[in-house]
C-alpha cells in the first residue's frame, strides 16, 4: 500500500514541521539539524517503508526503517525520545511478538501498530499491552502523525521518570544503614523522639541523622522526602515500627 501526502495537506505538513522544530530546512537534506526525536518503522513491505519514511521525514523527524522485527532488535538505538511504527504481521517475529519482547527486556518504547488485517481482539491485546494507537491500512496521514506526536510525548515523560528514579536510587544508595532506618521512621509519620525510642538512640542523634539524609536525598521538606520514597517504592513499615528500608 502506497501512502501519499495529498495536495490539500501541505499546510498540515508545514505545521508539523514547525512543531518538530524544523523550519526552513529539508528534513532529508544536507543541512538538516541534529535529530531531537527518532521514529522507527518496521514493515516487511518495501513500498510501505519508503512511503512512511517520506511522510514522517517530511515533517521534520528522523526515521529509521527495518524489514523485520529481528533487524530492529539487532540495531542499536540512539538515546533520544521516539516511537515505533510497527506492522502487526511480519516474517519471523510478529509485531505483537516484538511488543512482548521489548516489554520483557524493559526496553520501553511507545508503539503505534499498523495492520491491513486487524481485528478487534488483536487491537484490544495490543492496546492492553501498552500500544499508543492501532491504525488499520489504509489510514489518513494526519492520524499517523497525531499518533506519533502523542507517542513522542509519552516517551519523553517515561524517560524523565526513569531518569528521576535513577537519580533517586543513587541518592538513596549514599545513605548509611542508620539513615535509612531514620528515613523509614519519617515516612511512617513518627517524631524524632519516637524514632529514637525505636532505634535505641538519642533524639539529638536522630535529628543529626535526619539532617544528613535530607541533604543526601536533596529533599527540601518532609513532604518531598515522602514523595521521593514513594518513587523508590519504599512504603511506610506496618504498625509504625521503624525497620530498615533496604528495598
Amino acid at each position: 500500500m502506497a501512502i501519499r501526502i495529498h495536495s490539500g495537506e501541505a499546510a498540515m505538513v508545514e505545521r508539523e514541521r514547525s512543531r518538530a522544530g524544523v523550519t526552513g530546512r529539508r528534513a532529508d537534506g544536507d543541512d538538516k539539524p541534529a535529530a531531537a526525536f527518532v521514529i522507527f518503522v518496521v514493515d516487511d513491505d518495501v513500498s510501505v517503508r519508503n512511503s512512511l519514511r517520506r511522510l514522517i521525514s517530511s515533517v521534520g523527524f528522523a526515521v529509521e526503517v527495518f524489514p523485520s522485527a529481528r533487524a530492529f532488535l539487532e540495531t542499536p538505538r540512539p538515546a533520544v525520545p521516539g516511537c515505533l511504527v510497527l506492522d502487526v504481521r511480519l516474517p519471523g517475529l510478529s509485531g505483537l511478538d516484538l511488543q512482548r519482547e521489548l516489554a520483557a527486556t524493559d526496553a520501553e518504547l511507545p508503539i503505534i501498530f499498523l495492520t491491513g488485517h486487524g481485528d478487534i481482539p488483536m487491537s484490544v491485546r495490543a492496546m492492553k499491552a501498552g500500544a499508543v494507537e492501532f491504525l488499520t491500512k489504509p489510514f489518513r496521514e494526519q492520524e499517523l502523525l497525531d499518533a506519533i506526536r502523542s507517542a513522542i510525548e509519552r516517551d519523553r515523560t517515561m524517560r524523565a521518570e526513569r531518569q528521576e528514579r535513577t537519580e533517586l536510587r543513587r541518592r538513596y544508595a549514599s545513605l548509611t544503614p542508620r539513615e535509612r532506618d531514620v528515613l523509614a521512621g519519617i515516612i511512617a509519620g513518627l517524631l524524632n523522639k519516637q524514632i529514637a525510642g525505636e532505634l535505641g538512640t538519642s533524639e539529638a542523634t536522630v535529628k543529626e541523622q535526619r539532617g544528613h539524609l535530607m541533604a543526601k536525598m536533596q529533599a527540601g521538606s518532609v513532604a518531598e522526602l515522602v514523595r521521593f520514597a514513594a518513587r523508590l517504592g519504599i512504603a511506610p513499615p506496618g504498625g509504625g515500627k521503624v525497620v530498615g528500608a533496604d528495598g
Side-chain angles (χ1 to χ4, degrees):
M1 178 202 68
I3 302 172
R4 299 188 306 276
I5 301 178
H6 303 300
S7 58
E9 294 183 336
M12 175 272 291
V13 168
E14 186 57 36
R15 183 172 66 252
E16 293 292 336
R17 283 173 58 82
S18 177
R19 287 175 176 174
V22 180
T23 304
R25 301 184 189 181
R26 287 180 55 82
D28 54 354
D30 295 334
D31 192 32
K32 67 181 179 181
F37 315 110
V38 177
I39 313 305
F40 304 100
V41 174
V42 180
D43 197 299
D44 61 328
D45 187 321
V46 64
S47 65
V48 172
R49 291 199 303 274
N50 290 337
S51 295
L52 289 172
R53 187 206 298 270
R54 286 193 295 270
L55 170 65
I56 298 168
S57 65
S58 74
V59 297
F61 296 126
V63 186
E64 295 186 17
V65 300
F66 303 89
S68 68
R70 187 57 58 195
F72 170 76
L73 288 172
E74 292 174 351
T75 302
R77 295 186 290 278
V80 297
C83 69
L84 174 59
V85 178
L86 178 61
D87 193 18
V88 170
R89 297 180 185 273
L90 294 167
L93 284 177
S94 71
L96 294 176
D97 290 335
L98 176 56
Q99 182 186 35
R100 284 191 291 270
E101 185 150 339
L102 289 174
T105 58
D106 253 351
E108 298 176 86
L109 188 65
I111 297 175
I112 300 165
F113 275 108
L114 306 179
T115 182
H117 312 278
D119 55 19
I120 292 177
M122 184 183 295
S123 175
V124 169
R125 289 199 303 274
M127 297 301 284
K128 282 186 175 181
V132 174
E133 187 59 89
F134 194 98
L135 301 177
T136 302
K137 303 172 185 177
F139 51 84
R140 292 182 61 252
E141 288 88 349
Q142 184 63 63
E143 287 181 312
L144 176 59
L145 294 175
D146 287 345
I148 287 173
R149 283 175 51 78
S150 176
I152 287 173
E153 286 306 309
R154 177 185 292 192
D155 196 34
R156 291 175 68 176
T157 298
M158 290 192 304
R159 285 172 180 273
E161 291 176 349
R162 288 198 297 270
Q163 185 175 358
E164 182 188 23
R165 285 195 300 270
T166 298
E167 173 60 19
L168 289 176
R169 283 194 292 267
R170 185 194 65 77
R171 296 177 194 174
Y172 182 74
S174 73
L175 301 181
T176 66
R178 184 45 60 93
E179 286 167 352
R180 295 184 187 188
D181 290 340
V182 173
L183 171 61
I186 293 172
I187 64 176
L190 301 182
L191 302 175
N192 289 345
K193 182 178 180 179
Q194 294 172 307
I195 297 174
E198 292 285 349
L199 297 178
T201 188
S202 69
E203 186 175 354
T205 298
V206 169
K207 186 175 181 180
E208 181 181 9
Q209 292 167 337
R210 179 174 180 145
H212 289 163
L213 78 88
M214 292 286 286
K216 290 180 179 180
M217 292 299 295
Q218 298 181 31
S221 66
V222 171
E224 189 172 29
L225 183 66
V226 170
R227 185 181 74 82
F228 289 166
R231 295 285 291 137
L232 289 167
I234 303 172
K241 181 175 178 57
V242 180
V243 297
D246 295 326

